[in-house]
Amino acid sequence: QVHVVESGGGLVQSGGSLRLSCAASGSIFAISKMSWYRQVPEKQRELVATITSDGTTKYVDSVKGRFTVSRDNAGNTVYLQMNSLKPEDTAVYYCNVEATPITDGTWDLYYIGHYWGKGTLVTVSS
């Protein structure tokens, strides 16, 4: 089983910074991609940033130049450094991990599961 836990959310003033962390643990053979999404009430969840196993990153246009996604050397923890925060960045931020799990001591290289954390709230005051 794969567990995903986010941390680092909180209340910050407009223009401030926060750093989110997401740790994946459990029976994991390999992680192919880790992503940050965000969601506000009555809106669809939005992809914010992605980092793949080879370090390739992608961002939604609204955060380019302000947010940076990175990961640790072990590859099981992803970070989202958020600078120059705006009130419109207020949302619950979710981490998604695409990974091949180990089940009963074996793994299927052609199977990639999607695993979600419970989210962490970021509130940016004006």
Side-chain angles (χ1 to χ4, degrees):
Q1 196 168 5
V2 177
H3 305 279
V4 178
V5 178
E6 306 99 335
S7 61
L11 173 64
V12 64
Q13 288 189 333
S14 181
S17 298
L18 278 177
R19 189 192 195 206
L20 306 183
S21 299
C22 167
S25 62
S27 301
I28 301 172
F29 175 75
I31 293 176
S32 55
K33 185 186 297 184
M34 300 180 83
S35 302
W36 287 98
Y37 288 74
R38 64 186 179 187
Q39 189 171 24
V40 296
E42 302 181 350
K43 288 194 174 181
Q44 285 192 334
R45 196 167 291 190
E46 173 188 44
L47 176 60
V48 176
T50 292
I51 185 165
T52 62
S53 57
D54 65 0
T56 300
T57 58
K58 289 185 179 180
Y59 300 90
V60 67
D61 286 346
S62 60
V63 308
K64 286 180 180 177
R66 300 189 298 123
F67 291 10
T68 302
V69 62
S70 62
R71 62 180 186 181
D72 67 345
N73 289 335
N76 286 6
T77 300
V78 64
Y79 306 97
L80 186 67
Q81 178 66 44
M82 305 185 294
N83 299 328
S84 302
L85 282 162
K86 304 175 182 180
E88 51 264 43
D89 294 318
T90 296
V92 177
Y93 284 72
Y94 296 90
C95 180
N96 175 267
V97 176
E98 297 182 22
T100 298
I102 298 173
T103 304
D104 296 328
T106 64
W107 55 90
D108 181 351
L109 289 177
Y110 296 100
Y111 174 77
I112 297 178
H114 289 242
Y115 305 93
W116 291 92
K118 294 183 178 181
T120 185
L121 176 63
V122 172
T123 304
V124 184
S125 63
S126 57

